[in-house]
């Protein structure tokens, strides 16, 4: 039985050797790598064209819509400003109408004339009360008004040229 072969022929015996196993593993790995590379290349070529077209369409849409959107936003802001201004002007008109109605009243007009213009009726004595801070003299600047104007100007130039400190 020394010349006996393993069941299934010489290949079955060779199938369990390390070299054969390594060769089979290498072939299987090479096939997997080749298959995955061809799949990736197929995917890349399909997606690249579609992605480029999609990017081109999106860019053209952005470019086409950028200016109108900017105009729309600026016009909306302008409309809001005009509405606010219109409301402020309406309030001002109402205030002016109220003031006009008050001035139509003779008693209000007389009161304002007496306060603002210091008018008094015949037989009344008018008084003006001056506070303590108004009675004092105003402080004069250096030199004052008793000197000619050009002297004051020249003194100002001299003061500006002096070093600070």
């Amino acid at each position: 039985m020394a010349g006996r072969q393993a069941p299934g022929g010489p290949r079955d015996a060779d199938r369990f050797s390390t070299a054969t196993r390594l060769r089979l593993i290498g072939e299987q790995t090479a096939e997997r790598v080749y298959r995955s590379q061809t799949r990736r290349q197929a995917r890349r070529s399909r997606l690249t064209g579609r992605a480029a077209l999609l990017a081109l369409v999106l860019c053209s849409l952005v470019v086409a819509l950028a200016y109108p959107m900017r105009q729309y936003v600026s016009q909306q802001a302008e409309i809001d400003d005009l509405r606010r201004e219109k409301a402020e002007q309406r309030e001002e008109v109402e205030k002016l109408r109220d003031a006009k109605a008050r001035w139509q009243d003779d008693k209000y007009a007389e009161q304002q004339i007496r306060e603002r213009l210091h008018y008094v009726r015949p037989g009344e004595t008018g008084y003006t009360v001056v506070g303590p801070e108004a009675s004092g003299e105003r402080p004069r600047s250096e030199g004052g008004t008793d000197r000619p104007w050009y002297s004051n100007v020249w003194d100002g130039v001299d003061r500006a040229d002096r070093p600070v400190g």
Side-chain angles (χ1 to χ4, degrees):
M1 300 211 146
R4 217 171 173 202
Q5 293 182 0
R11 286 188 135 184
D12 287 339
D14 197 33
R15 168 173 90 173
F16 296 110
S17 72
T18 306
T20 306
R21 285 184 187 166
L22 288 175
R23 187 175 43 82
L24 286 174
I25 291 172
E27 289 173 1
Q28 290 172 353
T29 306
E31 286 178 22
R32 284 188 208 135
V33 169
Y34 178 73
R35 274 189 255 134
S36 67
Q37 285 178 349
T38 55
R39 284 185 200 149
R40 271 193 232 134
Q41 288 173 354
R43 275 191 224 136
R44 277 190 207 147
S45 62
R46 273 189 291 162
L47 291 178
T48 303
R50 288 180 185 168
L53 182 62
L54 180 63
L56 180 65
V57 168
L58 288 175
C59 287
S60 62
L61 283 174
V62 166
V63 168
L65 294 177
Y67 183 74
M69 286 303 292
R70 186 174 64 87
Q71 288 290 79
Y72 174 77
V73 169
S74 67
Q75 287 175 357
Q76 288 298 319
E78 187 176 344
I79 288 170
D80 291 341
D81 289 343
L82 290 173
R83 284 182 181 154
R84 182 186 42 77
E85 188 177 320
K86 182 180 176 183
E88 289 173 0
Q89 288 176 350
R90 280 188 180 164
E91 290 175 11
E92 183 67 24
V93 166
E94 288 300 318
K95 288 179 185 176
L96 291 173
R97 283 185 182 155
D98 291 343
K100 181 182 176 185
R102 277 184 275 153
W103 279 100
Q104 297 297 324
D105 183 19
D106 290 335
K107 289 182 180 178
Y108 179 78
E110 182 182 339
Q111 175 195 5
Q112 292 299 315
I113 290 169
R114 290 171 70 110
E115 282 181 17
R116 293 180 185 187
L117 302 176
H118 304 288
Y119 277 22
V120 292
R121 291 186 172 271
E124 293 180 350
T125 306
Y127 294 98
T128 302
V129 178
V130 179
E133 64 274 350
S135 65
E137 288 188 27
R138 294 183 188 168
R140 288 189 169 187
S141 61
E142 296 177 16
T145 58
D146 52 329
R147 297 174 47 189
W149 66 270
Y150 51 84
S151 297
N152 292 334
V153 171
W154 192 249
D155 287 344
V157 170
D158 285 340
R159 268 185 264 128
D161 284 342
R162 279 187 223 143
V164 178

